Amino acid sequence: MAITIKDVAKLANVAPSTVSRVIANSPRISENTKKRVREAMEELGYHPNFIARSLASQSTKVIGIVLPHSSGVFFQNPFFAEVIHGLSEGAREKHYALQMTTGKTEDELYQGVMQMVQGGRVDGIILLYSRIDDKILSYLKDRNFPFVVIGKPFESVEQITHVDNDNYLAAKEATEYMINLGHKKIGFIGGSPSLTVTIDRLNGYKEALKNSKIKLNENYIIHEEFHREGGQDAVMALLRRSIPPTALIVTDDLMALGVVNSLTEMQIDIPNEVSIISFNNALFAEMSRPPLTSIDIHIVELGYQAARSLIQLLENENEPVKRIIIPHHLVVRHSCASPSILISSDIE
Amino acid sequence: MAITIKDVAKLANVAPSTVSRVIANSPRISENTKKRVREAMEELGYHPNFIARSLASQSTKVIGIVLPHSSGVFFQNPFFAEVIHGLSEGAREKHYALQMTTGKTEDELYQGVMQMVQGGRVDGIILLYSRIDDKILSYLKDRNFPFVVIGKPFESVEQITHVDNDNYLAAKEATEYMINLGHKKIGFIGGSPSLTVTIDRLNGYKEALKNSKIKLNENYIIHEEFHREGGQDAVMALLRRSIPPTALIVTDDLMALGVVNSLTEMQIDIPNEVSIISFNNALFAEMSRPPLTSIDIHIVELGYQAARSLIQLLENENEPVKRIIIPHHLVVRHSCASPSILISSDIE
DNA sequence: ATGAAAGCGCTAACAA
DNA sequence: TTGTTAGCGCTTTCAT
């Protein structure tokens, strides 16, 4: 068995409780005994047992992070690595550990979260996604368990601390960018319609069209999964429209990559025949041929702020509910151009 | 306070230890009382407290994973997401949780590992890298703490369970592939020379050259970090050689991407002027223009097997030390060709 | 400023 | 087959 607080106490000739106070650096212990105790700890190579401490103090200093189910897809997307990067920075700074839960099905995931929460494994939880009617979110909310969501909660927005982009605005700007280039037939390729990020971006897109008096064409809106195949399927569907769009708002780089693949294969020129703007600005956007104009949403920062917010929530009894909006910005590359007069008038 | 084992015991009219045995599904409890106890648990919505269980049983059912320091670079590389994917599958199947440690410096990382280990936070550890003279590995080994490394340990290979590819063979085959195409001036762009993966691949490269009686040119060997800039710097250096290589073995996709970028910018044709073969076969390899011939090392499987091996180690008193080799395979795309007679004879 | 002692929720050895 | 009891290593009242 390892060195315990008792061993230290014995060597330093004090009570275990005194050692405990020294660890917590209680001001009620004289510098003198603090020094003695610390020397004893040093000499014995003592390290506090976190589990015991957790049990006694009812706090673990670990944060649980919940990936969406079907995490297979999620792992492939650069979003995952970046958000974890940010989370791990934020957690490490405050000396919190990170624990991960995944599940193949929603129910498996739910069980995992329940174990984390009721098992007392974590002090708080960060949801890496936000969707409509999420059982897990309801569970956390009902139990009043501390949590933060990355993305905008679908309901009770005012009561849930979350870190998000202004996805409505970002999509509106992206769409306006296309409109300003002269596009009128603009397609929208979004993720699952049950994700709030998709809903917000779709609304931004619609608003921009409305403001410019462009009639919304429901046939121009496609929902697919956030991976390459999703983008491919989406663009194929869009190309089957009697009048295909000349510009596409694609809400994920990996999808956009699929879009580019398909168009390239069909020898459709980007940006002269179809313009594309993507979201997230992962390395893929830069690597694509042509390089994609993309909206950078600063994913690392999203994770970093989420970790910090949760920790504040945990450490401050009555920390208010917060909404943190991470700014986005447009990175212009070479996937957007004015619609070719030829083509657009040709078809009409 | 939440429902405890005592509450259940009271309701079911048994002793707490009986409830504990029911949880563990001990065969020494009658089906009858099992049923009664389970009903009580159900009725109260009882969930066992993992922390208390961990303290009493001295086992946490959590696995610690250690990223290399300078994890900033590591997070960017698709290797990270894939290996975590595999780890999380392997851990979840056996109902283990995953906890992550990162650090900006080696010392910070070391402290983190010490906390995990001595703090009793984890039952075992997986190192996601393998380097020469690793303090952390020595620490784990000295304390006899269960761990598994992904990659080949530099020392005591026979005494440390690890999951690896046959990197020596993979690089040898890659090099032979180039030789068979007719290349004689073959460059090697590897990662840090303190990583065993680099060492193994370099040795495989050298062996292939030797077997084909091609004289080793130390100027053709470059070491850089596993990211794009690394690849760019490396290829620039190689191009400054009086006789630049006509083929490149690049031990990482992201680096290869940098190589391709630089060559493309300089209007050097791939594969006609320079052939490239990369490692890992991430999406980047496929996306690159031209698409890269690459060696797929099955990173997800690496993670999956690592998790399983560690769990076996933890659950079986005298599980033997194991070395698991994940097969690799060559994926041929369009970045390799025979050296142009013109160019190679021209220069010589 | 320090010590004694109870207890966090569970497991496991020992009894019965 | 089940109950009793003593910890696991720490924190935290309550005394002193």
Side-chain angles (χ1 to χ4, degrees), chain A residues 125-197:
Chain A
I125 276 192
I126 296 178
L127 299 181
L128 300 196
Y129 63 88
S130 171
R131 59 170 63 250
I132 294 180
D133 289 334
D134 187 36
K135 259 176 81 178
I136 294 176
L137 188 142
S138 307
Y139 168 79
L140 261 16
K141 193 155 168 295
D142 290 349
R143 297 190 58 92
N144 231 318
F145 194 80
F147 73 102
V148 165
V149 359
I150 293 184
K152 190 171 90 183
F154 182 63
E155 288 172 328
S156 325
V157 187
E158 313 284 314
Q159 298 159 52
I160 298 173
T161 290
H162 60 281
V163 182
D164 195 14
N165 304 104
D166 190 337
N167 282 304
Y168 170 84
L169 182 61
K172 184 160 162 282
E173 288 173 1
T175 311
E176 285 164 354
Y177 182 77
M178 290 298 197
I179 294 173
N180 288 337
L181 283 173
H183 292 277
K184 297 200 181 318
K185 299 184 291 287
I186 303 172
F188 178 91
I189 302 180
S192 158
S194 61
L195 294 173
T196 56
V197 59

Side-chain angles (χ1 to χ4, degrees), chain A residues 237-249:
Chain A
L238 249 19
L239 289 177
R240 280 193 294 270
R241 305 295 179 240
S242 53
I243 306 179
T246 60
L248 300 174
I249 312 292

Side-chain angles (χ1 to χ4, degrees), chain B residues 25-309:
Chain B
N25 200 16
S26 158
R28 316 188 327 186
I29 300 287
S30 75
E31 281 309 320
N32 213 298
T33 57
K34 272 189 188 173
K35 183 156 166 286
R36 231 175 50 246
V37 170
R38 287 195 178 120
E39 278 167 7
M41 297 193 331
E42 185 74 25
E43 189 176 333
L44 296 173
Y46 168 78
H47 280 264
N49 181 315
F50 267 94
I51 299 297
R53 172 184 288 187
S54 297
L55 184 59
S57 66
Q58 303 286 29
S59 115
T60 59
K61 294 277 182 188
V62 6
I63 292 174
I65 63 187
V66 180
L67 313 206
H69 65 274
S70 78
S71 32
V73 175
F74 193 66
F75 279 122
Q76 319 245 18
N77 202 296
F79 184 92
F80 166 72
E82 292 195 43
V83 81
I84 295 286
H85 186 174
L87 287 167
S88 93
E89 295 288 314
R92 206 200 44 231
E93 277 183 15
K94 301 289 186 181
H95 304 287
Y96 275 72
L98 239 41
Q99 199 161 309
M100 230 173 71
T101 288
T102 57
K104 279 200 188 299
T105 64
E106 186 174 359
D107 200 62
E108 212 176 272
L109 194 63
Y110 184 73
Q111 296 299 328
V113 172
M114 274 189 36
Q115 286 213 354
M116 272 194 166
V117 171
Q118 317 229 19
R121 277 180 185 281
V122 299
D123 290 347
I125 276 191
I126 296 178
L127 298 181
L128 300 196
Y129 64 88
S130 171
R131 58 169 64 251
I132 293 179
D133 289 333
D134 187 35
K135 259 174 82 177
I136 294 175
L137 187 142
S138 307
Y139 167 80
L140 262 16
K141 194 156 168 292
D142 290 348
R143 298 190 58 93
N144 232 318
F145 194 81
F147 72 102
V148 164
V149 357
I150 293 185
K152 190 172 88 183
F154 182 63
E155 290 172 325
S156 327
V157 187
E158 313 284 314
Q159 298 158 51
I160 298 173
T161 290
H162 60 281
V163 182
D164 196 12
N165 303 105
D166 189 338
N167 282 305
Y168 170 85
L169 182 62
K172 184 160 162 282
E173 288 173 1
T175 311
E176 284 163 353
Y177 182 77
M178 290 300 195
I179 293 173
N180 288 336
L181 284 173
H183 291 278
K184 295 199 181 320
K185 298 183 291 288
I186 305 172
F188 178 91
I189 301 180
S192 159
S194 61
L195 293 173
T196 58
V197 58
T198 303
I199 298 172
D200 284 350
R201 290 182 184 167
L202 186 55
N203 284 335
Y205 160 81
K206 289 181 177 173
E207 179 70 12
L209 294 185
K210 201 173 102 189
N211 291 346
S212 297
K213 314 265 193 283
I214 298 178
K215 186 155 175 298
L216 178 68
N217 181 347
E218 292 285 352
N219 284 325
Y220 283 175
I221 299 172
I222 307 266
H223 295 285
E224 281 287 352
E225 289 256 33
F226 284 140
H227 50 37
R228 236 182 354 156
E229 294 70 24
Q232 288 168 347
D233 294 349
V235 76
M236 294 316 283
L238 249 20
L239 289 176
R240 280 194 294 270
R241 305 294 180 240
S242 52
I243 307 179
T246 59
L248 299 175
I249 313 293
V250 187
T251 64
D252 179 78
D253 286 324
L254 215 44
M255 280 179 125
L257 202 61
V259 170
V260 170
N261 283 168
S262 292
L263 292 177
T264 304
E265 251 174 44
M266 303 176 67
Q267 316 227 26
I268 295 178
D269 185 79
I270 306 167
N272 291 319
E273 295 180 67
V274 174
S275 289
I276 295 175
I277 188 165
S278 79
F279 273 77
N280 292 13
N281 194 33
L283 190 47
F284 290 124
E286 189 182 336
M287 283 190 57
S288 158
R289 288 304 98 144
L292 299 178
T293 292
S294 185
I295 296 201
D296 193 325
I297 60 168
H298 301 286
I299 299 170
V300 177
E301 188 67 14
L302 231 37
Y304 181 73
Q305 293 298 340
R308 292 181 66 97
S309 308

Side-chain angles (χ1 to χ4, degrees), chain A residues 6-274:
Chain A
K6 283 187 189 168
D7 302 315
V8 176
K10 207 168 292 170
L11 182 61
N13 244 304
V14 293
S17 51
T18 301
V19 178
S20 175
R21 289 185 185 107
V22 173
I23 295 170
N25 200 16
S26 157
R28 313 188 328 186
I29 300 289
S30 74
E31 281 309 320
N32 213 299
T33 58
K34 271 190 189 173
K35 184 158 165 284
R36 231 174 51 245
V37 169
R38 287 193 180 120
E39 278 167 7
M41 298 195 328
E42 185 73 25
E43 188 176 334
L44 296 172
Y46 169 78
H47 280 263
N49 181 314
F50 267 95
I51 300 298
R53 170 182 291 187
S54 298
L55 184 58
S57 67
Q58 303 287 29
S59 114
T60 60
K61 294 277 181 186
V62 4
I63 293 175
I65 62 187
V66 180
L67 313 205
H69 66 276
S70 78
S71 32
V73 174
F74 194 65
F75 279 122
Q76 319 245 19
N77 201 296
F79 184 93
F80 166 70
E82 292 195 46
V83 81
I84 295 286
H85 186 172
L87 288 168
S88 92
E89 295 288 315
R92 207 201 40 232
E93 277 182 15
K94 300 289 186 184
H95 304 286
Y96 275 71
L98 240 42
Q99 197 161 311
M100 230 175 73
T101 288
T102 58
K104 279 199 187 301
T105 65
E106 185 173 358
D107 200 62
E108 213 177 270
L109 194 63
Y110 183 73
Q111 296 300 327
V113 172
M114 273 189 37
Q115 285 213 354
M116 272 194 166
V117 172
Q118 317 230 18
R121 278 180 184 283
V122 299
D123 290 347
I125 276 192
I126 296 178
L127 299 181
L128 300 196
Y129 63 88
S130 171
R131 59 170 63 250
I132 294 180
D133 289 334
D134 187 36
K135 259 176 81 178
I136 294 176
L137 188 142
S138 307
Y139 168 79
L140 261 16
K141 193 155 168 295
D142 290 349
R143 297 190 58 92
N144 231 318
F145 194 80
F147 73 102
V148 165
V149 359
I150 293 184
K152 190 171 90 183
F154 182 63
E155 288 172 328
S156 325
V157 187
E158 313 284 314
Q159 298 159 52
I160 298 173
T161 290
H162 60 281
V163 182
D164 195 14
N165 304 104
D166 190 337
N167 282 304
Y168 170 84
L169 182 61
K172 184 160 162 282
E173 288 173 1
T175 311
E176 285 164 354
Y177 182 77
M178 290 298 197
I179 294 173
N180 288 337
L181 283 173
H183 292 277
K184 297 200 181 318
K185 299 184 291 287
I186 303 172
F188 178 91
I189 302 180
S192 158
S194 61
L195 294 173
T196 56
V197 59
T198 302
I199 297 172
D200 284 349
R201 290 183 183 165
L202 185 55
N203 284 337
Y205 160 82
K206 289 179 177 173
E207 178 70 12
L209 295 184
K210 201 173 100 191
N211 291 347
S212 297
K213 313 263 193 286
I214 298 177
K215 185 155 177 297
L216 178 69
N217 180 346
E218 292 285 351
N219 285 325
Y220 283 175
I221 298 172
I222 306 266
H223 294 286
E224 281 287 349
E225 288 256 34
F226 284 141
H227 50 37
R228 232 175 5 148
E229 295 70 24
Q232 288 168 347
D233 294 350
V235 77
M236 295 315 284
L238 249 19
L239 289 177
R240 280 193 294 270
R241 305 295 179 240
S242 53
I243 306 179
T246 60
L248 300 174
I249 312 292
V250 187
T251 65
D252 179 78
D253 286 325
L254 215 44
M255 280 179 125
L257 201 61
V259 170
V260 171
N261 284 167
S262 292
L263 292 177
T264 304
E265 250 173 46
M266 302 175 69
Q267 315 228 25
I268 297 177
D269 184 80
I270 307 165
N272 291 318
E273 294 179 68
V274 175

